Every structure is written in C-alpha cells, then in structure tokens.
Amino acid sequence: MADQKQQEDINPWGLKSWTYLSSLRQQSPLIQCITNFVSMDIMANTLLAAGASPAMVHSILEIPDFTPHAKSVLINVGTLTPDWLPAMKAAAGLANQLGKPWVLDPAAVGASSFRLKACLELIELKPTVIRGNGSEIIALSMASIGSTKGADSLHESSDAVESAKSLAKSSGSIVAISGSVDFVTDGERVVGAHNGVPMMQKITASGCSVTALIAAFVAIDPTHAFEATASAFSVFGLAGDIGMELAKGPASLRMHLIDSLHRLDQDTVLDRVTITNFS
C-alpha cells in the first residue's frame, strides 16, 4: 500500500519533464538554429545549459550538408530579411523530407505584411510546433497584421487560446503560447505550464530561448511533441523560478536562469513542475 501511495503521489508532468531533461543531457542532440541576431547568444547558452548541442547555421549553401545531421531545426524570424528566408524554407523542407521535427518562432509576425507572408509560407511547410506570444498567435490565426509592439505582446496568453486551437487544427502543428501561463494545444487538448516569473519578460530573447528548449525536447521524442513542448515550457520556467531566488534584476536573472537550468535535479523537477489541464 505504501508503494502504491508513493506512486500516486508522483507528479506525472514532473516525471515527463525529468525524462525529457535527463534524456537531453544523455543524448546531447544537435539543434540547428536559424535565428535572429539578438537571440543567438542566450539561445545557444540555454541549449548548452540544458544539455543540447546548438549550431547557429543559417547559410542556404550549408543546408544540404548540415541539416541532415541535426536532430531538430528551429526557425525564428526575429530579424528576418529576404536573404534569410530561402534558407529557412530550405531547412524546413529538408527536415520534413528527412522526418525530423522543426519548430517555428514567428517573432513579431503582426508587425509587417512581409513578416506575416513569410510566416504563413513557412507554416505551409508543416512545423512540428509553433511557439509565440499571445499577439503573435492571434495574428497568425487571423492571418492579419495590426497593432503591434514588435516582439512584445499586447495580449495575455489566455486571450489567444482559442486562436491557438484554431491554428493548431488548420496547420497540424502543436501551438504554444508564452505568457503568465504558458499554454500548449493540439487543437483539442489544452494544458498550461505555471512555472516562471514576470521578470523573465525583461530579458531579451527569453521567449526565443524557450523555443530553442522546445526544439531540443521535441528532438528527444518527436512523436509526443505536445508533451515535450509543455515540459520544455515548465522546465525553463522552473529555472526562472529558482534563478529569481538569487537575482537582483533582469541581468542577474539571466545568469542565474542559465545556471539553474544547468543544475536542475530530479527531486526539484518532480516536486516543482506545475502543469495543469484546461480541457
């Protein structure tokens, strides 16, 4: 009976999250990141701290040789230019051909028609996961531009849940929304990850970094991208929770978040990961 009670007390999402994180540390998968200039440093350091192997390879001339070696591909349009878009499409297309997962971060998608058109074209290449803030997910779902603060959101994550469900159904992708609660949906199921602190929003490219961690977790288990995405959200948020206990502001939180991600142990993950069902 004691063993049964102990098993019942185990946090199932904590167990899932630890499985992904520990497997990531053991396997150290190569994650190809075609991302914006602002995020490259923190994204690479996030992946390294978690146990993955990042590569910021974005030249179209390297895609045919390099992308087949990657376990997953991340595409972030934060500093999008016409020169980069062909490489993004080539990498996404090749990932699909090879049966590898790829993740789209539609940064500031609602800011311009060029950016929106590029993201809609990328979605046609069937990303495994789309991760954005509330405003980005709403803009993608409506396929329209509008009021914008660039990469900052004008909406709460909860405002975008229905848009995310619609986008997931139309695209076939898992859709993830960052915010005070991080939501994940496949169009039917919805879960929310509750870890994380508001000051994380004061660290530039923190959203880009969690997208990178999602790409790494999905690389471990592409057939369960929903669970991998929710787990990545919560693990990254938990590192922020712990980092905030030591931080004095955004700069020190950035440092302590990365350190905390590197140092996360099984007991902490099992005890503190908080993911709940909303459907």
Side-chain angles (χ1 to χ4, degrees):
M1 291 293 292
D3 288 343
Q4 182 179 351
K5 178 68 165 59
Q6 189 174 18
Q7 289 178 359
E8 291 175 353
D9 288 342
I10 291 175
N11 174 359
W13 276 108
L15 185 59
K16 285 185 178 76
S17 298
W18 176 249
T19 299
Y20 284 115
L21 182 59
S22 59
S23 298
L24 185 67
R25 291 169 173 174
Q26 293 165 8
Q27 298 177 28
S28 189
L30 178 64
I31 312 300
Q32 181 182 358
C33 304
I34 304 179
T35 190
N36 67 76
F37 296 117
V38 178
S39 70
M40 287 183 183
D41 176 79
I42 188 172
M43 185 181 288
N45 280 302
T46 295
L47 287 170
L48 285 169
S53 178
M56 275 51 189
V57 175
H58 61 260
S59 171
I60 194 168
L61 298 178
E62 293 191 279
I63 301 301
D65 294 327
F66 189 87
T67 301
H69 297 287
K71 295 300 183 183
S72 71
V73 176
L74 177 148
I75 295 174
N76 178 302
V77 302
T79 51
L80 184 65
T81 70
D83 293 338
W84 279 42
L85 187 54
M88 293 175 173
K89 292 180 177 179
L94 186 54
N96 281 340
Q97 290 176 29
L98 298 172
K100 297 174 183 288
W102 75 275
V103 177
L104 174 64
D105 190 325
V109 62
S112 72
S113 55
F114 165 63
R115 192 174 291 265
L116 177 62
K117 182 174 183 290
C119 287
L120 293 175
E121 290 173 355
L122 286 165
I123 288 174
E124 291 178 3
L125 296 172
K126 301 297 182 184
T128 310
V129 180
I130 302 167
R131 198 290 312 172
N133 62 37
S135 293
E136 290 161 351
I137 296 304
I138 290 170
L140 269 184
S141 177
M142 296 175 63
S144 65
I145 61 174
S147 299
T148 180
K149 288 180 67 179
D152 294 333
S153 185
L154 293 171
H155 299 85
E156 294 292 333
S157 55
S158 56
D159 297 336
V161 170
E162 291 305 315
S163 294
K165 291 172 71 174
S166 176
L167 181 60
K169 290 176 181 177
S170 64
S171 66
S173 305
I174 302 301
V175 177
I177 322 163
S178 295
S180 55
V181 176
D182 300 318
F183 291 99
V184 181
T185 183
D186 59 4
E188 298 294 338
R189 296 176 292 172
V190 179
V191 298
H194 300 266
N195 298 99
V197 294
M199 195 177 288
M200 292 169 73
Q201 297 177 20
K202 300 297 183 182
I203 303 172
T204 189
S206 59
C208 305
S209 299
V210 77
T211 309
L213 191 61
I214 289 169
F217 276 31
V218 171
I220 296 299
D221 187 6
T223 61
H224 294 91
F226 179 87
E227 292 81 0
T229 300
S231 296
F233 260 149
S234 202
V235 165
F236 189 78
L238 176 56
D241 292 338
I242 297 169
M244 194 65 227
E245 295 167 7
L246 302 169
K248 297 180 179 179
S252 54
L253 177 58
R254 182 186 193 274
M255 175 183 71
H256 288 303
L257 187 156
I258 293 169
D259 284 350
S260 298
L261 181 59
H262 176 69
R263 292 169 59 87
L264 280 177
D265 59 34
Q266 182 175 7
D267 288 344
T268 303
V269 173
L270 291 178
D271 184 54
R272 296 183 61 175
V273 156
T274 307
I275 299 173
T276 59
N277 292 318
F278 280 82
S279 61

